[in-house]
Amino acid sequence: MNSHPRLSRRHFLSLSAAATAVSLLPGCGTTEKPAAGPVVPPPPSGPYQLGPLPYPVAALEPHFDAQTMGIHHGKHHQAYVDNLNKAVAMAPNNPFNPDPRVLVSDLSKISDSVRAQVRNNGGGHANHTFFWSILAPAAGGDPAGKLGAALEAQFGSLPKFRQEFAKAGMTRFGSGWAWLVRKEDGSLAITSTPNQDSPWMRGVPEVAVTGKPILALDVWEHAYYLKYQNRRADYIAAFWNVVNWAEAERLFTEA
Ligand code: MN
């Protein structure tokens, strides 16, 4: 078993160069050594980008904790973006719409070689971007306006609506999402989807209800396990304290 001295030397030299570069940065002490282990190339950058959270990571405490929010946005959502960009790099001639919601709305346009990758990671990017937008600090309460009236008319009462929505989240086996959707005919529906599927996806057998999402709740364990462990019901109950009803109303009433 011969080792590879040239490779090792090259590896050492690249680490030395990296250490030199780091030590030139302001605020970096010279005592820190570069991390051991393989040098992982950075993921391809663009065309898709992770947007910032619309509020600080701790803004939804104590309902959604800062540690979970930071990892969920900075690691999980970032990974969907990175893996979507890898699909672009692999099959650049596909019609990659810059809006991930449009991208996943017709997966038949995407070539077989990257379709699953686009479904999972384009879906993940679209779903999480939407999820952050319908959460807000100092939110929750009852929806007013046209959405509140429509929910009462369609589900009997707001508590009944909450009960139905929670049931959709609780009964989604494994990983997925619960949704409130405005269907083509303008009526509201509650549904759930597996994995990173969504009501934006048309022509997908696993998606029972298509339309315009008004609310979404991520019920993957990564969304709640650090704070709630296996208690998905407690996480869903906490969700009602951080729902951005003003944004939901805007989505419901816009064209
Ligand atoms: Mn998630």
Side-chain angles (χ1 to χ4, degrees):
M1 290 288 281
N2 198 3
S3 66
H4 299 279
R6 287 190 61 222
L7 276 181
S8 301
R9 183 164 176 273
R10 188 184 301 161
H11 185 65
F12 170 77
L13 286 174
S14 75
L15 286 181
S16 301
T20 305
V22 165
S23 68
L24 293 174
L25 293 172
C28 286
T30 51
T31 52
E32 282 190 51
K33 291 174 182 170
V39 178
V40 179
S45 61
Y48 296 97
Q49 299 287 336
L50 178 67
L53 269 182
Y55 31 75
V57 286
L60 306 183
E61 289 270 11
H63 314 291
F64 287 9
D65 61 292
Q67 187 185 21
T68 299
M69 289 298 291
I71 294 170
H72 200 174
H73 176 260
K75 302 293 183 188
H76 290 279
H77 189 173
Q78 180 73 64
Y80 295 118
V81 172
D82 292 343
N83 289 322
L84 180 57
N85 284 329
K86 285 179 193 167
V88 176
M90 285 167 65
N93 293 329
N94 278 262
F96 283 101
N97 192 289
D99 184 335
R101 297 169 298 183
V102 178
L103 173 68
V104 300
S105 68
D106 189 358
L107 291 163
S108 70
K109 290 179 181 164
I110 304 297
S111 60
D112 293 352
S113 64
V114 291
R115 187 176 299 118
Q117 204 173 331
V118 170
R119 179 177 178 177
N120 292 333
N121 296 289
H125 183 27
N127 294 354
H128 286 86
T129 302
F130 181 75
F131 186 41
W132 313 134
S133 78
I134 57 90
L135 304 175
D142 284 338
K146 289 180 179 169
L147 177 57
L151 288 169
E152 285 178 345
Q154 196 148 346
F155 298 98
S157 68
L158 293 173
K160 279 184 184 165
F161 156 70
R162 285 192 177 87
Q163 199 176 3
E164 284 295 304
F165 188 91
K167 188 177 156 197
M170 285 303 294
T171 55
R172 167 50 55 192
F173 182 76
S175 299
W177 292 75
W179 303 90
L180 175 66
V181 184
R182 193 186 74 184
K183 296 197 289 185
E184 302 283 331
D185 65 5
S187 67
L188 291 165
I190 290 167
T191 190
S192 80
T193 54
N195 304 313
Q196 296 298 349
D197 289 354
S198 71
W200 288 298
M201 290 182 182
R202 290 162 200 286
V204 171
E206 290 82 359
V207 175
V209 178
T210 58
K212 178 183 182 179
I214 305 298
L215 288 181
L217 179 60
D218 187 343
V219 294
W220 284 57
E221 280 190 344
H222 70 223
Y224 62 87
Y225 202 85
L226 288 174
K227 183 175 173 72
Y228 295 100
Q229 292 82 49
N230 61 322
R231 303 187 307 278
R232 189 188 283 190
D234 291 354
Y235 161 72
I236 294 175
F239 169 66
W240 301 116
N241 296 304
V242 291
V243 171
N244 183 352
W245 284 117
E247 175 63 4
E249 172 79 7
R250 191 190 69 75
L251 291 165
F252 178 63
T253 53
E254 77 173 1

